[in-house]
Amino acid sequence: MEALYILLPISLILGATFLFLFILSVKSGDLDDLDSPAKRILFDDIKKINNKESMHESKD
Amino acid sequence: MAELSRESIQQNTSNNKEVSLCFHCGLSTRNPLQFNGDLSKSFCCHGCLTVFQIIEKSELDQYYSIKNDSDQRLFIPTPESKKNFHHYDEANFQSDFVENIDGEKHIKLYLEGVHCIACLWLIEKIPQILKGVIKSHFDFDNSVVTISVKEELALGEVAKLLDKLGYTPHPIKNEDEVSKLKANEERSYLIKLGIAMACMGNILLFSISIYAGLEGSLKATFNWLSFLISLPVVTYCATPFYRSALSSLRNRKPNMDLPISVALIAGTGSGLFSLLTNIGETYFDSLTSLVFLLLLSRYCLLKIRQRGVTSSNLEYFSSFGDVTIIKSLLNRESRSVLAKYVSVGDLLLISEGDIIPADGVIIEGNAFINTSLLTGESLPIKYAKDARVLSGTEVITGEIIVRVNSIGEKTKLGEILANVKKLSKKQTPFASLSDKVSRYFIVLIFLIATLTISYFTLIGYPLIGISRALTLLIVTCPCALALATPLSLSAAIQKLLKVGVVLKSEEVIEKLNKARNIYLDKTGTLTEGKFQVLELGCELTQNFKEIIWTLEKRGRHPIAAALRSYIEYLGPTSEREMTEWLETPGVGVTGIINNQKYHLKRTPAYMGAGTSVSLYEEEDLLISIVLKDKARIDSKKIISKLKSMGMNPFIISGDSKKEVEDLALEVGINKDQAFSEISPEGKLALLSKDPQSIMIGDGANDAMALRKASIGIAVKGSLDISLEAADIYFTRPGISSLCELLDTSVTAVKVIKINMIFSLLFNLVGSVLALSGIITPLMAAVLMPLSSLSVLLSTYLFSKDNS
């Protein structure tokens, strides 16, 4: 049970660290627009596929 | 910039009227344009073709594959635009809208016409199209693009490109204080939510072991730790509830934040008491869960609400754009500025299709001006030198130079606007049903809670009393009740936005359910608002077409414009040699083609309303054409649908009796429900007599009635003043969205009622369980948000079912 007295502070500090990071990211505006980035991901995928295709072609 | 290379564009002139789909916008067309003889790609108009050329030249064809993958149902051809946007680089514009950081210019633009993710992709590829653009970042939800460009690039070029691509740009004031505050508020909400969640999670971990039967010094440690961790939640995260509870006390209108605040404070107090005395229970787990779940549901609500374009966004739809100011009459040097920077004494060059931005006097030229937005008169009136023109009227044909006499509030339009603002909007304070119900409900709950504590104190168990009262306060918190209304309304607003209806406030949805009488303006609302060919005396042969085209090529009368656009619509027509062309105002035009003298002149209308023109070869009548401000294609259908919904449509117009009655007959409105020759004041008086009514119109002459009506709706093409006065704005032409609007409002109110009944039942059962001690505060804290969640779910399901 004594381990708890070490583990508890560690868990709390870890939790507090992540909370702090979360607050930082909110303040810097990372979470202001949640929809457009989600859509942007789609385009990047298409581009990669194109790149891969062109790479394949150049190898051939 | 891709210029239109006319020679490489072929119009399919053959007579096979096969329908093909526009490669760019998907609209079907019978006269497709082709580019470089590529038969696989046809376009419906030059606008769409231009966009395609820009896209192809910049090697962004991927746009079309993204577009096909995305769900795109709207077919809107890209309008061809000739605006130059030079005013974007004027000093006064720059100081208002542009931000300079490290030699880069930043501007925010609201874009009209964005419909799918392919647009998002294309807009963010602008740096690839236009050299000098550093970054283009598009916020899809708000339709706002933030563009950074190098110092040397003119912002006008960026705006021009966007406009050419089919996205009409509207500048947004840089770093608007209000939007900054809004963003900050949202961020602080998110931070509170994050903190509450982290604290709740940690406390729940401790409570599990306590519920599992932990005893001794560890239990005390865990309890104290829970208390410490809960402090930021009850002090910082819960501030929105305290603030709202305090203001509700000040206004003597108890709201749902009051019981929450009391429960939080009492819970923390009694928890601390039990910690110190080691008697009774602590409720830190219940309290933090309560705060977290409440914040979560409110954050969801905030997010959902933000999606709806609200009144603050309406200013982007201003009908005045830029105008051309002439510096000197001698060398015609001119520059373009935004209409709001026009000052008294400026000379404005106003050409076809422009809206006059200020009151003034014509000093050169003449024009036909459509004053319908101001006066309701449907026919354009000719204005010549020295005539006074009014702000808000539109030049149909011709070009004039106007010296500005008065601007802003001093114009006729400004006066009307001032009068409209004076009219009080609300005849009776409108309190939504849920507000009323939850107010009584809260008072009742407090009463029961106090009675419970008194009773248990009297019989000697004050701690049980506090626990049960706390459970009661938590479980009956009328969140679901309070959520039900805004959620259903927000769902309705979002749905309406998709069909082109912008609501200024949510309460109109509840009001729409009560209105039965609909007053419709005629010109521009039920009708197209411009001359169109209604019928032909006989078949319009290619020969006649070419003669009329040649005669009217330079015609300035609105009829000429109507004939031109009609012939253009039929297909390409070649111009013939002509001599001795003469336009006689009020009579018609004459000209000699192939040694034959042709007249095209106005003749008395032979049947019904409208204007008739006839083409004569020498003295022989070749063809008669009837032109009219036609009713919109869908007007009749919508009127009959409105009737079947139990609505009672009226026409209310400033036009002549004959015109109005003809239209009434055409769209299927009873003759005695068509009011003609009504002045703006008359409209106002009519609407005052009928307080539960809907008014639909577009012009300044409707503005007062729009304001007075229970619900005022401004249609597309309305003047700013009508937008200001109305509660609802249709972004699609005509009244096509009206049925959707009514349907949605009926559904929304139904959902509100279902949700309210459900949450009242839930609360009833909850209170019985709480008072009899069957559930603990923690269970209550979990159950209560569950009811909110179920309301969320039912709103979603019901709103979806009916779409």
Side-chain angles (χ1 to χ4, degrees):
Chain A
M1 278 303 210
E2 279 70 33
L4 270 180
Y5 288 100
I6 302 164
L7 292 176
L8 266 180
I10 292 177
S11 81
L12 287 177
I13 288 168
L14 270 179
T17 314
F18 282 110
L19 187 60
F20 176 72
L21 290 177
F22 170 74
I23 293 171
L24 272 191
S25 77
V26 171
K27 286 209 164 151
S28 67
D30 277 2
L31 299 157
D32 282 356
D33 177 8
L34 297 172
D35 288 271
S36 310
K39 282 165 184 138
R40 241 166 250 140
I41 285 175
L42 299 173
F43 309 145
D44 287 341
D45 273 343
I46 297 172
K47 215 195 241 164
K48 270 177 203 155
I49 291 167
N50 282 352
N51 283 347
K52 268 182 199 163
E53 276 170 7
S54 59
M55 273 163 68
H56 278 295
E57 275 163 27
S58 61
K59 270 178 196 169
D60 294 337
Chain B
M1 188 69 33
E3 283 301 322
L4 269 188
S5 39
R6 293 266 167 191
E7 52 283 328
S8 62
I9 299 160
Q10 286 132 29
Q11 187 125 27
N12 188 356
T13 48
S14 60
N15 277 336
N16 67 352
K17 292 287 181 193
E18 232 174 89
V19 175
S20 51
L21 298 180
C22 176
F23 185 72
H24 179 71
C25 74
L27 198 75
S28 60
T29 170
R30 284 185 302 172
N31 291 301
L33 288 164
Q34 251 115 31
F35 177 57
N36 279 347
D38 183 353
L39 290 171
S40 64
K41 297 184 180 79
S42 26
F43 299 92
C44 65
C45 59
H46 282 287
C48 285
L49 182 62
T50 311
V51 180
F52 171 74
Q53 281 177 312
I54 297 174
I55 291 174
E56 204 193 30
K57 204 175 167 194
S58 313
E59 295 176 340
L60 295 172
D61 323 19
Q62 198 193 330
Y63 170 77
Y64 293 103
S65 66
I66 296 175
K67 194 169 180 172
N68 290 338
D69 291 341
S70 72
D71 173 32
Q72 196 218 2
R73 278 161 291 182
L74 278 176
F75 295 133
I76 303 167
T78 314
E80 206 174 351
S81 175
K82 293 178 188 79
K83 289 186 197 155
N84 61 28
F85 294 100
H86 287 327
H87 61 278
Y88 272 59
D89 297 292
E90 291 282 326
N92 45 16
F93 181 92
Q94 299 246 332
S95 71
D96 269 5
F97 297 102
V98 183
E99 209 180 359
N100 273 299
I101 303 170
D102 302 333
E104 287 175 15
K105 290 183 280 189
H106 300 264
I107 188 169
K108 276 189 176 173
L109 301 163
Y110 174 85
L111 298 183
E112 227 180 304
V114 178
H115 38 68
C116 63
I117 59 165
C119 298
L120 168 88
W121 182 84
L122 186 61
I123 291 163
E124 298 204 331
K125 285 282 182 285
I126 284 177
Q128 211 169 313
I129 306 174
L130 196 61
K131 280 226 162 67
V133 179
I134 298 161
K135 200 180 161 200
S136 162
H137 185 93
F138 188 65
D139 176 354
F140 195 76
D141 276 347
N142 297 312
S143 213
V144 171
V145 67
T146 313
I147 292 183
S148 324
V149 303
K150 284 183 189 151
E151 190 64 51
E152 61 267 21
L153 182 75
L155 280 171
E157 287 298 314
V158 181
K160 206 158 108 184
L161 173 69
L162 283 167
D163 194 48
K164 268 199 178 169
L165 289 172
Y167 312 116
T168 317
H170 302 274
I172 297 176
K173 281 215 164 177
N174 76 48
E175 286 310 296
D176 192 8
E177 284 302 310
V178 181
S179 66
K180 233 181 180 175
L181 276 177
K182 244 178 156 179
N184 274 341
E185 192 201 330
E186 199 193 314
R187 286 180 190 176
S188 88
Y189 228 103
L190 198 56
I191 289 173
K192 287 185 181 116
L193 190 62
I195 295 177
M197 188 179 177
C199 295
M200 176 194 74
N202 281 295
I203 292 175
L204 285 180
L205 281 178
F206 296 137
S207 351
I208 288 175
S209 40
I210 293 174
Y211 286 119
L214 188 72
E215 287 297 336
S217 66
L218 260 181
K219 184 186 175 182
T221 317
F222 279 13
N223 271 334
W224 274 104
L225 275 175
S226 303
F227 169 69
L228 289 179
I229 298 173
S230 78
L231 279 180
V233 179
V234 288
T235 51
Y236 174 66
C237 300
T239 38
F241 306 122
Y242 300 144
R243 217 172 282 149
S244 149
L246 268 180
S247 78
S248 89
L249 274 180
R250 248 180 251 132
N251 300 332
R252 293 174 187 283
K253 281 178 188 160
N255 66 8
M256 68 168 189
D257 288 336
L258 199 57
I260 295 170
S261 305
V262 171
L264 284 178
I265 295 169
T268 314
S270 80
L272 189 61
F273 177 76
S274 1
L275 263 187
L276 292 171
T277 57
N278 230 347
I279 309 167
E281 301 279 331
T282 58
Y283 308 107
F284 305 121
D285 46 1
S286 332
L287 299 177
T288 43
S289 325
L290 182 71
V291 172
F292 166 68
L293 291 165
L294 283 176
L295 281 173
L296 182 67
S297 62
R298 292 213 191 156
Y299 183 74
C300 288
L301 190 67
L302 184 79
K303 271 287 174 196
I304 291 172
R305 276 185 166 179
Q306 265 178 2
R307 298 229 174 153
V309 178
T310 47
S311 52
S312 63
N313 294 45
L314 272 176
E315 64 186 293
Y316 307 140
F317 295 99
S318 173
S319 51
F320 298 125
D322 52 314
V323 286
T324 309
I325 289 189
I326 296 179
K327 278 182 184 159
S328 81
L329 278 176
L330 284 174
N331 57 11
R332 292 280 163 147
E333 198 189 328
S334 64
R335 64 198 173 100
S336 86
V337 300
L338 211 60
K340 66 176 194 176
Y341 300 127
V342 168
S343 47
V344 174
D346 281 347
L347 298 179
L348 307 179
L349 178 72
I350 295 161
S351 25
E352 276 186 28
D354 289 349
I355 292 175
I356 303 174
D359 287 5
V361 172
I362 298 181
I363 58 166
E364 204 182 297
N366 55 53
F368 278 90
I369 293 176
N370 178 2
T371 61
S372 70
L373 287 178
L374 217 56
T375 61
E377 164 70 51
S378 63
L379 295 179
I381 300 165
K382 191 176 174 182
Y383 284 77
K385 193 169 184 276
D386 296 332
R388 199 166 169 246
V389 291
L390 296 176
S391 159
T393 54
E394 184 191 1
V395 174
I396 303 293
T397 55
E399 194 172 81
I400 48 175
I401 295 175
V402 173
R403 187 190 299 280
V404 176
N405 278 345
S406 45
I407 50 165
E409 285 170 12
K410 296 213 176 78
T411 62
K412 178 93 176 149
L413 190 68
E415 277 170 33
I416 300 174
L417 185 64
N419 279 333
V420 169
K421 278 186 177 161
K422 264 189 244 160
L423 278 178
S424 59
K425 175 71 199 175
K426 284 171 190 160
Q427 285 125 341
T428 47
F430 182 85
S432 67
L433 190 59
S434 63
D435 278 355
K436 278 188 232 158
V437 173
S438 56
R439 198 169 303 153
Y440 290 116
F441 192 76
I442 289 162
V443 175
L444 187 72
I445 293 302
F446 266 112
L447 221 71
I448 299 176
T450 324
L451 284 176
T452 314
I453 295 179
S454 324
Y455 171 74
F456 279 98
T457 315
L458 276 179
I459 60 168
Y461 301 102
L463 284 175
I464 295 180
I466 289 174
S467 161
R468 294 204 178 164
L470 201 62
T471 315
L472 179 75
L473 280 185
I474 293 175
V475 84
T476 56
C477 154
C479 296
L481 207 61
L483 270 179
T485 313
L487 258 183
S488 325
L489 295 181
S490 303
I493 287 179
Q494 267 196 49
K495 206 162 119 191
L496 287 172
L497 204 63
K498 280 188 197 145
V499 294
V501 180
V502 179
L503 271 71
K504 274 203 205 169
S505 71
E506 298 156 332
E507 58 186 47
V508 292
I509 292 183
E510 277 184 80
K511 283 200 220 163
L512 274 169
N513 272 263
K514 292 188 183 135
R516 280 289 159 266
N517 292 347
I518 301 184
Y519 292 87
L520 297 139
D521 175 45
K522 178 180 154 281
T523 316
T525 305
L526 282 172
T527 69
E528 300 273 358
K530 59 180 185 215
F531 270 121
Q532 278 186 308
V533 172
L534 182 67
E535 56 182 86
L536 305 162
C538 60
E539 198 204 344
L540 190 67
T541 61
Q542 190 67 23
N543 185 30
F544 292 168
K545 246 176 24 187
E546 282 173 15
I547 294 168
I548 295 173
W549 178 256
T550 312
L551 279 171
E552 292 289 30
K553 189 81 197 176
R554 280 172 290 164
R556 295 220 136 174
H557 196 274
I559 287 178
L563 286 172
R564 276 200 301 267
S565 67
Y566 179 68
I567 292 173
E568 254 175 8
Y569 163 77
L570 290 179
T573 312
S574 49
E575 199 177 337
R576 295 197 185 168
E577 288 270 320
M578 177 173 63
T579 50
E580 289 179 41
W581 184 76
L582 183 72
E583 183 176 32
T584 322
V587 182
V589 289
T590 59
I592 293 173
I593 302 168
N594 290 347
N595 296 325
Q596 292 277 8
K597 191 169 183 176
Y598 290 97
H599 300 261
L600 187 67
K601 57 185 181 188
R602 217 166 148 166
T603 43
Y606 59 96
M607 259 180 69
T611 311
S612 164
V613 290
S614 303
L615 177 68
Y616 293 89
E617 187 183 76
E618 304 293 344
E619 298 302 318
D620 303 329
L621 175 70
L622 295 179
I623 184 171
S624 289
I625 301 167
V626 181
L627 296 115
K628 201 182 164 188
D629 179 14
K630 263 201 281 193
R632 293 182 192 275
I633 320 167
D634 50 4
S635 288
K636 188 176 181 176
K637 207 174 77 194
I638 289 163
I639 296 288
S640 69
K641 206 168 162 203
L642 284 178
K643 280 182 172 169
S644 70
M645 289 167 83
M647 307 301 283
N648 197 9
F650 292 86
I651 298 183
I652 176 167
S653 169
D655 240 340
S656 70
K657 195 168 180 202
K658 175 127 190 61
E659 293 271 342
V660 174
E661 283 186 353
D662 279 341
L663 182 78
L665 194 70
E666 194 183 337
V667 298
I669 291 178
N670 220 331
K671 240 185 196 175
D672 47 286
Q673 297 199 353
F675 302 109
S676 51
E677 291 162 37
I678 309 260
S679 64
E681 290 75 21
K683 289 189 180 182
L684 178 64
L686 256 171
L687 266 299
S688 312
K689 267 188 256 163
D690 195 352
Q692 298 279 348
S693 54
I694 304 172
M695 168 78 202
I696 307 178
D698 59 348
N701 59 330
D702 302 315
M704 287 198 281
L706 286 174
R707 183 87 167 187
K708 195 74 193 172
S710 168
I711 300 125
I713 302 175
V715 298
K716 188 177 173 70
S718 290
L719 276 183
D720 292 12
I721 177 174
S722 305
L723 290 185
E724 171 112 26
D727 305 292
I728 299 172
Y729 172 48
F730 286 171
T731 60
R732 298 203 186 143
I735 53 170
S736 52
S737 325
L738 190 57
C739 295
E740 294 263 11
L741 174 65
L742 293 171
D743 273 341
T744 312
S745 74
V746 170
T747 318
V749 170
K750 212 194 286 164
V751 174
I752 290 175
K753 282 186 182 151
I754 293 173
N755 282 340
M756 257 167 38
I757 291 169
F758 169 76
S759 55
L760 279 177
L761 276 177
F762 180 91
N763 280 334
L764 195 69
V765 176
S767 355
V768 172
L769 291 179
L771 287 178
S772 53
I774 293 174
I775 51 174
T776 62
L778 181 68
M779 285 158 82
V782 175
L783 276 178
M784 191 283 308
L786 273 186
S787 80
S788 307
L789 199 70
S790 60
V791 164
L792 261 164
L793 207 68
S794 87
T795 308
Y796 175 74
L797 289 178
F798 279 106
S799 308
K800 206 180 167 194
D801 267 356
N802 285 280
S803 66

